[in-house]
Amino acid sequence: MIARWGTSFMSKRLKALYAKNPRQWIECLVWLMVTILVIVGKSIYYANAHSLSSDWMGNAWICPFVYFILNLALALFGKDLGAYGRLFANTGIASLILYFFLMGVYEMASNYNESTPVFLFTGIAFLIVGTILGVAHFLSQKKSSETAIQA
Amino acid sequence: MKKTALNVVLLGSCFALALSGMAAFNLYDTFVAQHEAQAEYLEESSSSAATSAVTSTATSSGTSATSASSGTSSTSAASTSATGASPYASTSVKLVSKSATNSNGVTSKYYIADIELHSYDDLKTHMVTSSAGSPGSGYKETVSSHISDIKAAGETPLVAIDGDSAYYSSYRKGYVIRNGLKYRSSYQTTSGTGTTSGDDFATYQDGSAKAFVEKTTTTSDLIAAGCYNCWCFGPTLLENSTVQVSEDEDVYQCKGANQRTAIGYIDAYHFVFFVSEGRINNSSTDGFSLYEMGGLLKDYGCTIAYNLDGGGASYMWYNGSRINTSSDDRSVGDIVYVKAS
C-alpha cells in the first residue's frame, strides 16, 4: 500500500532509496513514531505528576531514538536485520523502554519493585540475541549476493 | 517465506503479551498487592548504647535542662536525668486554631497542638502490626481505632496526628524507628523531592529533635545517639528556623495547596503537631503548600519542622474528638501521639 500510495510525494532519488528495502524504511518510520510516542507519554505523565520529574522517564526516548538511527543507517544501505533478528531486537528495545518508564514511575512515587530490573536484563538479552541473528542474516545476505554475482 | 512471517507474528505476539503481562504484574505488585514488611524488623536497641548516648548528647545540649533537674538518689541516674531532664513538671497540650490566606488568596484553617513534654517517651508512635508485631502495607486502621488501641493498652492519649505511612507499600524505603525499636534500615533515594527527598526527622531521649538526610547516617548510629522515633516521609520544612523547601516543591500526588500534617520542634521537650484543612471548596486552591506550611510553623516559633503524610490522610485527634474536618477518615498504618505522663 505504501509502495502504491505512500511514495507519490517522493523524489526519484528517495523512491530509489525506498525501493532498495521498503520493509526497512517502514521499520524506521515505526521507531520514529515510537520515539515520539514515548516523548508524548512522558509529557502526559509529567503533566499529572504535580511538578515531579524523573530522569529515568525523561530519558526513555533515547532507546527508541538510537534504534531508529540504527534502522535508518541500515535502510540507507538497503540492509536489514532479518525477520528473527528484527523480532528479538524490537522486543529488547520495547523491554528497555518499559524498564525506563517503570523506574520513572517508581522514582516519582518514592517506590521500587525489586523485580523491575528483569526488564533491563530481558531487554539486553533480547538485544544481544537480535544482534547475533541480525549479523547472521547480514552475512547470509552477503554470501547469497556474492554467489549470485559469481553465477 | 509465508511460514517465516507467520512464525515471526506468532512469536512477536507472545513476546508482546509476555512484556505487557510482566509490566502489569510489576505495577500491581508495587501499588496494589499487600505485603508484610520483611527487612530488619524489630531490632531492639541496646539499653547501654542508648544511655551513653543520652549522657553524651545532653552534655552538649542546653543548660536550662540541667538547672531544671531535681536531685536523684543514684549518681549515674542523676547524671543522666540532670543533663536531659524536662523543664516541664507534666506533659501538657494546648490546641491553637488559626487561619491564614495562601498564595491562591484562599483562607484556610490550621491547627497547632503545642506540646510540652515531661518525658521524651510521652511523644510516641502507634503502628498497626500483625499478631507477631510485624508492620506491613496490609496493616492499617482509622486514627480513632488507633486511639482505642492505645487506651486499651492502658495509656491516656492527649493528642494524635497521622504519621508517615512508612509501610503504605512493601517496597517503600526509609528508616523506621518507633518508640526506641528499629523496624527498617534501608534508606531512600535522595534524587527527588517530597517523599523522595530522603529527609528524616528524629526525636531523641534528651528531648531534642533533628532533621537530617537519611543517607548521611545509619539506624544503628541513630539508636546509639539516643534516637527514640524516626520518621521517613518529608521533606524537611524548617531547619535552624529557615524554610528548607522551595515554593513549588511538593509531595507526589499532592496539589500545591492541600491538607497538611507536620511535626515541629521548638525547643527541648517542646514540640508541635500541625494539621491544616484543605480541599473544602476547590481541590487545587484550599489548604497550604509545603512552603507556606514551613512559613506558618516558623512564625509559630519552630526551629525544625517536618512534613508527614497529608492529603486525605491528614487527621488531628484532640481531647476525645477529631479536630480537622476536610480530609478523609483514611486508614493509616501509624500515628504519632502524646500520652499523659
Side-chain angles (χ1 to χ4, degrees):
Chain A
M1 196 168 136
I2 287 179
R4 192 177 293 171
W5 305 106
T7 56
S8 56
F9 64 94
M10 290 180 180
S11 66
K12 271 188 182 172
R13 195 171 169 178
L14 208 59
K15 267 183 188 167
L17 268 175
Y18 176 78
K20 267 186 176 179
N21 195 338
R23 187 187 286 265
Q24 187 58 25
W25 281 101
I26 293 167
E27 192 73 7
C28 280
L29 196 67
V30 166
W31 284 103
L32 182 65
M33 285 169 72
V34 170
T35 308
I36 294 166
L37 272 175
V38 167
I39 294 168
V40 170
K42 175 208 77 175
S43 306
I44 292 170
Y45 198 89
Y46 276 14
N48 294 285
H50 308 300
S51 70
L52 286 182
S53 60
S54 161
D55 285 345
W56 288 105
M57 196 181 283
N59 294 326
W61 63 274
I62 292 172
C63 289
F65 184 71
V66 168
Y67 193 53
F68 159 70
I69 297 291
L70 178 80
N71 275 302
L72 186 66
L74 286 171
L76 286 170
F77 288 103
K79 305 289 180 192
D80 62 65
L81 292 172
Y84 287 106
R86 193 164 49 233
L87 171 67
F88 276 87
N90 287 2
T91 310
I93 294 292
S95 185
L96 286 180
I97 295 169
L98 272 175
Y99 172 73
F100 278 90
F101 244 84
L102 287 171
M103 288 298 286
V105 169
Y106 296 150
E107 188 177 41
M108 284 188 269
S110 184
N111 220 319
Y112 184 64
N113 189 317
E114 277 145 18
S115 64
T116 311
V118 168
F119 289 94
L120 177 68
F121 302 137
T122 308
I124 291 169
F126 272 71
L127 268 180
I128 290 170
V129 174
T131 309
I132 292 168
L133 290 172
V135 169
H137 175 78
F138 206 74
L139 292 175
S140 70
Q141 262 187 335
K142 202 177 173 185
K143 210 174 179 182
S144 59
S145 63
E146 277 171 5
T147 316
I149 289 165
Q150 278 173 3
Chain B
M1 185 64 191
K2 271 186 177 174
K3 200 180 170 189
T4 308
L6 188 68
N7 284 345
V8 167
V9 167
L10 281 174
L11 208 55
S13 308
C14 291
F15 287 162
L17 272 173
L19 275 182
S20 348
M22 278 162 60
F25 178 75
N26 199 279
L27 287 164
Y28 170 84
D29 193 39
T30 311
F31 292 114
V32 184
Q34 297 188 335
H35 304 263
E36 265 194 25
Q38 298 292 329
E40 296 172 66
Y41 143 70
L42 268 180
E43 295 170 36
E44 196 152 2
S45 56
S46 76
S47 55
S48 59
T51 310
S52 64
V54 168
T55 312
S56 62
T57 323
T59 312
S60 59
S61 67
T63 49
S64 59
T66 311
S67 60
S69 69
S70 55
T72 49
S73 54
S74 155
T75 314
S76 60
S79 65
T80 303
S81 67
T83 48
S86 168
Y88 306 109
S90 66
T91 295
S92 64
V93 178
K94 183 178 77 182
L95 185 72
V96 182
S97 173
K98 291 187 167 200
S99 59
T101 305
N102 65 16
S103 59
N104 299 314
V106 179
T107 302
S108 303
K109 279 181 92 172
Y110 64 95
Y111 311 95
I112 289 181
D114 192 311
I115 301 153
E116 293 172 347
L117 297 173
H118 173 63
S119 169
Y120 72 89
D121 58 1
D122 286 344
L123 175 58
K124 296 183 77 173
T125 48
H126 183 263
M127 282 202 293
V128 189
T129 61
S130 67
S131 52
S134 172
S137 59
Y139 300 111
K140 293 171 188 169
E141 62 186 20
T142 57
V143 174
S144 48
S145 301
H146 277 279
I147 298 293
S148 301
D149 288 350
I150 293 164
K151 283 178 178 169
E155 287 181 346
T156 308
L158 299 173
V159 64
I161 52 171
D162 61 289
D164 63 352
S165 298
Y167 290 93
Y168 80 79
S169 154
S170 60
Y171 295 105
R172 179 139 188 245
K173 298 188 179 204
Y175 296 165
V176 180
I177 297 170
R178 298 294 144 88
N179 304 333
L181 298 173
K182 184 165 75 177
Y183 285 85
R184 192 170 65 200
S185 299
S186 56
Y187 60 75
Q188 305 169 75
T189 59
T190 54
S191 57
T193 56
T195 49
T196 57
S197 62
D199 291 345
D200 276 16
F201 179 76
T203 60
Y204 291 84
Q205 295 180 30
D206 62 352
S208 67
K210 195 175 149 189
F212 57 94
V213 175
E214 257 180 8
K215 252 185 165 175
T216 57
T217 186
T218 63
T219 46
S220 300
D221 288 343
L222 286 168
I223 291 283
C227 176
Y228 189 63
N229 278 301
C230 179
W231 292 276
C232 59
F233 198 87
T236 299
L237 304 169
L238 263 182
E239 204 170 358
N240 298 321
S241 301
T242 309
V243 177
Q244 299 293 309
V245 284
S246 59
E247 284 183 55
D248 58 351
E249 188 168 342
D250 215 318
V251 180
Y252 184 70
Q253 290 176 337
C254 284
K255 301 278 184 187
N258 216 321
Q259 295 108 318
R260 301 286 180 182
T261 302
I263 183 167
Y265 172 79
I266 295 175
D267 202 351
Y269 294 95
H270 193 182
F271 289 82
V272 300
F273 287 169
F274 175 102
V275 164
S276 78
E277 303 281 13
R279 295 181 186 170
I280 296 168
N281 301 312
N282 186 313
S283 62
S284 62
T285 55
D286 282 89
F288 301 101
S289 67
L290 293 180
Y291 181 79
E292 288 161 348
M293 178 167 58
L296 293 173
L297 284 159
K298 183 187 173 186
D299 291 347
Y300 193 78
C302 290
T303 51
I304 307 170
Y306 183 80
N307 182 52
L308 293 171
D309 194 4
S314 277
Y315 196 111
M316 182 181 275
W317 180 96
Y318 174 74
N319 203 20
S321 59
R322 185 182 182 179
I323 299 302
N324 63 316
T325 53
S326 57
S327 59
D328 313 327
D329 190 3
R330 189 183 288 177
S331 291
V332 289
D334 64 301
I335 64 164
V336 192
Y337 70 101
V338 173
K339 71 174 180 70
S341 53

